[in-house]
Amino acid sequence: MLLALAAIWGSSFLFIKVAVREVTPGEVVFGRVLVGTLGLVPAVWFLGGWGPTWAGLRRFWRPLLLVGIFNAALPFWLLAWSEKKLDSGLAAVLQASMPLFTAVIVYLVARSERVTGPRLVGVVVGFLGVVLLVGAQPTGDLVPALAVLLTALLYAGSSVYAGMRLRDSPALVTSLGSLGFATLATLPLGLAGLPGEVPSWKVFASIFALGAVGLSVAYLLYFTLIAGSGAPYAALVTYLVPALALLYGAIFLDEGITASAIGGLALILLGVALGTGTLRLERLRAAEGTVGE
C-alpha cells in the first residue's frame, strides 16, 4: 500500500506538467480539486454516512476552510505555475523538503520538539540540499524553484495547524471539507482562464488522474495507512515520491536527471531522516534487535 501511494503521488508531478502545457495553472487546480471532491462523495455512504459527515463539516468548517486554502488551493496553484518552467522531477525533489519545514515550525509553535543534536544536523543538511538545487537553476528558473519551496512551507504549516485544530475530525470529513473549500476558492481562477479551444485528451486525462487518483484514492490510502500502520510508517512515502517522480519525468517526458538533482535529493532525504528522527529510530531498533539475539 505504501508503494502504491508513493507511485500515485510521484506521478502527480508528471500529470501537472502535461496539463499546464495547454491550460492555465488555475484551470488545472480547479479541475483537480473539483474531481477530487466529487470522487470522495461516494465514499461518504461507506465511511460513516451523511449525518455524521455533515455534523463534522459544520463543527470544523473554519479550520477546514483554512486548510483548504493553504494546504490545497494555494500550494496546488504555486506548484502548477512553477512546473510551466521547471522539470516535474526537480519540483518533486524540492517539495521533499516539506518535513524539514515541519520540524522547524513544530519547534517554533509548540517548543515541544527541540531541534537539537542529530535533528539540527538533519535540518541543516537538508537545507544545504535545497540550496544546492536552487543554486543550480538558471536565473529564469529561480523564482519557480522558490515557489515550489513555498508550497513545501505551506504544506508544512497547514499540516501542523491541522494537527492542532482537526485532531478530532474524521479523516473523511477533513479530506472532503478541505477539498470542497479548495474547490470554491479556485472557482474564479478556473472560470477566468477558460481556453478558447478544447484541450487535448491528455489534459483531461491528467486532470482526472490528479483529482480522482492523486486526491480521492490517495487520501483514502494515506489515512488507511496511518490507521493501520501508524503515522511514522505512512510518512516513509516522503522518501519514495521524489525518486519516483524523477523516474517518471525521465521516462515519459524525456527530462534529464542531473548530478545536482541527485545530490540535492540525497542531501534532502538524509536531512529528513535525521531531522525527523527516522534514521535515529531505525538505528535504535537495530541495536535492540542485536541485543536480543
Side-chain angles (χ1 to χ4, degrees):
M1 191 177 291
L2 183 70
L3 289 175
L5 181 60
I8 291 172
W9 277 346
S11 67
S12 294
F13 298 89
L14 163 69
F15 291 127
I16 291 171
K17 186 70 175 181
V18 172
V20 295
R21 287 174 173 174
E22 297 185 39
V23 297
T24 67
E27 291 172 300
V28 174
V29 175
F30 173 66
R32 179 182 186 182
V33 294
L34 175 62
V35 173
T37 303
L38 295 177
L40 284 173
V41 170
V44 174
W45 279 281
F46 302 98
L47 300 175
W50 278 107
T53 300
W54 279 120
L57 292 173
R58 288 195 301 269
R59 177 185 175 187
F60 295 104
W61 75 268
R62 289 182 180 86
L64 287 173
L65 171 62
L66 293 177
V67 171
I69 293 173
F70 294 104
N71 192 62
L74 186 53
F76 286 178
W77 186 89
L78 286 169
L79 184 60
W81 177 82
S82 68
E83 285 202 43
K84 291 185 74 71
K85 284 267 189 175
L86 298 179
D87 285 350
S88 62
L90 175 61
V93 173
L94 286 169
Q95 193 170 288
S97 61
M98 179 265 213
L100 302 175
F101 288 111
T102 303
V104 174
I105 292 172
V106 167
Y107 171 70
L108 293 175
V109 172
R111 299 281 177 173
S112 59
E113 296 282 342
R114 295 190 62 83
V115 186
T116 58
R119 287 196 168 192
L120 179 59
V121 172
V123 170
V124 173
V125 169
F127 282 117
L128 284 177
V130 171
V131 171
L132 171 63
L133 280 174
V134 173
Q137 302 312 306
T139 304
D141 293 345
L142 180 59
V143 174
L146 293 176
V148 178
L149 291 181
L150 182 54
T151 69
L153 178 60
L154 289 170
Y155 283 142
S158 56
S159 296
V160 174
Y161 174 79
M164 296 167 55
R165 296 296 304 275
L166 295 170
R167 188 185 305 272
D168 298 325
S169 173
L172 179 61
V173 170
T174 301
S175 303
L176 182 62
S178 59
L179 287 179
F181 279 120
T183 302
L184 293 176
T186 57
L187 177 60
L189 290 174
L191 296 180
L194 290 176
E197 299 179 357
V198 178
S200 68
W201 68 268
K202 292 182 180 179
V203 172
F204 285 107
S206 295
I207 292 176
F208 179 81
L210 284 168
V213 183
L215 292 179
S216 301
V217 174
Y219 272 24
L220 294 176
L221 281 176
Y222 182 62
F223 289 118
T224 301
L225 269 176
I226 290 177
S229 304
Y233 180 77
L236 293 176
V237 72
T238 304
Y239 300 91
L240 301 174
V241 167
L244 287 173
L246 279 172
L247 186 62
Y248 289 144
I251 293 175
F252 298 106
L253 300 175
D254 293 324
E255 295 177 351
I257 300 179
T258 63
S260 61
I262 297 296
L265 175 62
L267 288 174
I268 290 172
L269 293 186
L270 176 60
V272 169
L274 290 171
T276 59
T278 304
L279 187 58
R280 178 176 59 84
L281 288 174
E282 290 175 353
R283 286 180 174 177
L284 285 175
R285 287 177 186 142
E288 290 172 357
T290 303
V291 171
E293 290 178 353

